[in-house]
Amino acid sequence: MERKQLRIALPNKGRLAAPSVELLKKCNVKIENGTEQRKLYAGTSDPEIEVIFVRAEDIPEYVERGAADAGITGEDLVAEKCAKVRILAKLGFGKCRIAIAGKQKIGIKDISGKTIATKMPNATSEFMKKNGLKATILPVKGATEIAPGMGIADLICDHVSTGATLAANSLVEIATVMESEACLICTDGLAGRKREILDALALMVWGTNEAAGKKYVMMNVSEKDIPRIVQLVPGMRSPTIMQLAAKGECALHTVADAKTLPEKIRRLKELGARDILVLGIEQIVR
Ligand code: AMP
């Protein structure tokens, strides 16, 4: 019997697991009965959506084969599995790069002829092919950083986020193979009602990401100060201005980047803005 609910595969553990559940929650899809370990299936607050919990690295395959209609996993894992799935949205967490590293800095051409220990043999081979390089790939399951010191490989190809693990093992980065972050994927050719449910969810995901770095800012201003204040906080299209009961006074509402907001608030006060309120935004759908 054909499954009617949209089934989303989520990472059951590791660094992508908690942020994936959190993202769905922000999109109003709450997983029922918590997310206890060892649970494989769960319903959600949306009767048309269910989730399954599997390993992040298996998700591209589950989705490619249609065992799940959609999933959240790393772009690097989609590339490594060479999965024929559609990437609907990048999710802004699980950011890292896959890089080639070694005991000393060498030119990219000098990678040829070397042995590279990696957990990601396909992504590494693809990079070699693209750059016309020939190297021996040595697949390992983990702790790649130890391989050059043990003399079993000249180089490694592995995840880097801060570079601290490389530094701790006296390794330096030589080349970036790919940048990666968590992404929402779906089965190629997903259609009908499931596609509609997923498109609606993708809109919420984009809206949540878009809203993440933004704040809604309200303030009282005198009419004469409006032109300079609008220049400082132009908002998404332009700020909303509402007349107050007091003559010559207005309320101005705008959207601003959270990162630069402290400096903007300092300038707003200099320009005469008062009673400044800053609120979080849940979604921005453009
Ligand atoms: P995990 O299940 O915790 O091993 O997570 C694996 C996925 O997390 C990787 O395939 C990447 O997509 C992502 N990731 C983000 N930063 C890192 C990192 N520093 N090391 C390994 N994986 C990372």
Side-chain angles (χ1 to χ4, degrees):
M1 200 178 68
E2 210 213 321
R3 180 166 35 83
K4 285 221 173 69
Q5 284 174 312
L6 179 84
R7 181 182 289 165
I8 306 176
L10 299 180
N12 60 350
K13 56 183 175 185
R15 68 195 83 210
L16 303 182
S20 300
V21 171
E22 197 50 39
L23 175 69
L24 286 189
K25 202 162 142 196
K26 281 192 193 154
C27 296
N28 288 325
V29 178
K30 295 186 189 79
I31 292 161
E32 280 170 359
N33 306 322
T35 52
E36 318 107 58
Q37 290 273 315
R38 273 184 283 163
K39 199 162 153 198
L40 301 178
Y41 272 99
T44 72
S45 52
D46 184 330
E48 292 189 288
I49 299 179
E50 65 176 22
V51 295
I52 58 167
F53 294 101
V54 288
R55 289 178 65 137
E57 64 195 88
D58 293 333
I59 289 177
E61 194 146 357
Y62 271 76
V63 173
E64 178 176 7
R65 290 166 175 261
D69 307 300
I72 294 181
T73 187
E75 284 177 284
D76 56 332
L77 299 171
V78 174
E80 179 58 24
K81 297 282 163 167
C82 310
K84 287 180 202 67
V85 295
R86 183 166 300 193
I87 296 185
L88 291 177
K90 296 193 182 196
L91 304 177
F93 59 87
K95 284 190 180 177
C96 62
R97 56 188 182 281
I98 313 299
I100 295 180
K103 286 187 192 162
Q104 66 238 348
K105 186 94 186 154
I106 54 171
I108 194 166
K109 296 254 165 352
D110 299 325
I111 293 174
S112 271
K114 302 275 192 294
T115 300
I116 309 177
T118 183
K119 284 183 292 196
M120 315 202 70
N122 293 331
T124 311
S125 297
E126 193 54 35
F127 175 80
M128 296 298 143
K129 228 190 279 164
K130 260 195 213 146
N131 288 281
L133 304 167
K134 279 208 167 82
T136 306
I137 310 285
L138 177 69
V140 292
K141 290 285 180 204
T144 48
E145 293 87 358
I146 206 169
M150 295 289 113
I152 60 161
D154 307 299
L155 306 173
I156 66 163
C157 181
D158 207 344
H159 297 101
V160 182
S161 40
T162 61
T165 313
L166 288 185
N169 289 283
S170 310
L171 297 172
V172 289
E173 250 180 277
I174 293 167
T176 300
V177 168
M178 72 176 290
E179 305 273 348
S180 174
E181 65 186 92
C183 58
L184 175 66
I185 57 174
C186 79
T187 308
D188 222 2
L190 185 71
R193 178 64 193 146
K194 285 185 187 172
R195 181 72 212 212
E196 286 172 4
I197 305 166
L198 187 59
D199 283 347
L201 180 65
L203 263 185
M204 296 290 272
V205 167
W206 287 320
T208 303
N209 279 350
E210 181 86 14
K214 302 265 196 299
K215 296 285 178 194
Y216 192 75
V217 188
M218 307 193 278
M219 66 203 83
N220 288 331
V221 298
S222 296
E223 249 171 26
K224 65 173 176 37
D225 297 325
I226 288 174
R228 287 201 300 163
I229 289 181
V230 168
Q231 257 192 353
L232 181 65
V233 282
M236 297 203 308
R237 204 147 302 190
S238 78
T240 305
I241 293 170
M242 287 163 285
Q243 201 75 51
L244 293 186
K247 201 161 178 279
E249 294 298 305
C250 298
L252 185 147
H253 293 193
T254 190
V255 171
D257 278 339
K259 255 197 204 151
T260 53
L261 197 54
E263 174 58 14
K264 290 225 161 132
I265 289 178
R266 188 187 68 75
R267 286 282 297 133
L268 282 169
K269 282 182 69 76
E270 278 179 3
L271 294 175
R274 299 172 303 279
D275 317 321
I276 302 169
L277 306 183
V278 179
L279 283 74
I281 304 174
E282 282 191 16
Q283 304 272 338
I284 296 180
V285 181
R286 292 193 192 256

